[in-house]
């Protein structure tokens, strides 16, 4: 138990569906992240939120839409996805202020395994 | 952030020590060395980090070369549960809130 919870753990969707992934952290952190991990590829950073503000969008297609309503919750809205978007989507959180002393350990959830048919 | 180089895979026998190397020849004076690992079907988890001196914690030890161009993660007694992908990541202490960038890591197999 890392203190970061992702739901659903598994999701199968068609290319025309709209779905959302949810992430919740119970650690009091103020930075949250979405990473994508495709088969046999390194983790790819998608989005970063610091204090609910998006501070990084790593050239992610617009069919992925993040939302951060507060420091504890992060969503990834999905629409008109492609089969190549099938992957493990990982959420993480950290205490952003701690980066200044470089002790900003990232805590990851177990991921949401997405399959696009 | 500077780049790291790790072997793609390593193998170890159970209950023996494991030394996982990482080269970072372009490391800057303000880069910390972080290690994370990812167990099967889980997200990555923090293992250890250091700057210049060797570090120990309950999970592992980190040995840092005197010139800081390489480091070694040491698992003192490998167990089957240590089978994972291990990532060595450099993180500039002055780079604010930018996140970790993961490479391919080293896949460690532990043989019973």
């Amino acid at each position: 138990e890392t203190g970061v919870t992702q739901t659903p753990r598994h999701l199968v969707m068609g290319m025309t569906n709209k779905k959302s992934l949810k992430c919740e952290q119970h650690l009091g952190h103020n930075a949250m992240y979405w990473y994508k991990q495709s088969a046999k590829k390194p983790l790819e950073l998608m989005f970063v939120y610091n204090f609910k503000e998006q501070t990084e969008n790593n050239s992610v297609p617009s069919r992925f839409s993040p939302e951060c309503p507060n420091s504890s919750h992060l969503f990834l809205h999905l629409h008109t996805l492609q089969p190549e978007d099938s992957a493990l989507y990982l959420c993480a959180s950290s205490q952003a202020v701690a980066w200044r002393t470089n002790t900003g350990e990232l805590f990851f959830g177990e991921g949401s395994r997405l399959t696009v048919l | 952030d500077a780049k790291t180089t790790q072997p793609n895979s390593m193998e170890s026998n159970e209950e023996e020590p494991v030394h996982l190397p990482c080269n970072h020849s372009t490391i800057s004076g303000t880069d910390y060395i972080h290690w994370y690992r990812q167990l099967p079907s889980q997200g990555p988890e923090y293992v250890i980090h250091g700057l210049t001196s060797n570090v120990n914690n309950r999970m592992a030890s980190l040995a840092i070369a005197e010139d800081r161009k390489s480091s070694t993660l040491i698992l003192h007694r490998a167990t089957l549960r240590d089978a994972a992908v291990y990532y060595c990541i450099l993180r500039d202490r002055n780079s604010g809130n930018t996140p970790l960038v993961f490479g391919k890591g080293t896949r460690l197999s532990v043989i019973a």
Side-chain angles (χ1 to χ4, degrees), chain A residues 44-110:
Chain A
E44 301 171 58
L45 177 69
M46 299 178 73
F47 301 103
V48 181
Y49 278 82
N50 283 286
F51 298 93
K52 300 186 297 178
E53 297 296 322
Q54 187 180 128
T55 55
E56 190 155 342
N57 176 337
N58 203 25
S59 302
V60 180
S62 60
R63 56 186 184 270
F64 295 92
S65 175
E67 179 190 1
C68 189
N70 55 61
S71 293
S72 300
H73 293 86
L74 184 65
F75 294 89
L76 187 62
H77 303 300
L78 316 169
H79 59 99
T80 59
L81 294 192
Q82 305 298 312
E84 59 264 30
D85 296 322
S86 299
L88 181 68
Y89 289 85
L90 289 156
C91 172
S93 71
S94 69
Q95 186 63 9
V97 172
W99 278 124
R100 300 190 188 283
T101 57
N102 218 19
T103 58
E105 175 184 345
L106 260 65
F107 291 77
F108 283 84
E110 293 186 306

Side-chain angles (χ1 to χ4, degrees), chain A residues 35 37 45 96 99 102 106 108, chain B residues 32 36 38 91 96-97 99-100:
Chain A
Y35 283 85
Q37 188 170 35
L45 177 69
W99 278 124
N102 218 19
L106 260 65
F108 283 84
Chain B
Y32 276 76
Y36 280 71
Q38 187 173 16
R91 185 67 176 82
N97 296 330
L100 294 174

Side-chain angles (χ1 to χ4, degrees), chain A residues 25-36:
Chain A
Q25 57 98 359
H26 308 278
L27 301 168
H29 289 164
N30 47 30
M32 296 188 77
Y33 314 80
W34 280 116
Y35 283 85
K36 174 185 177 182

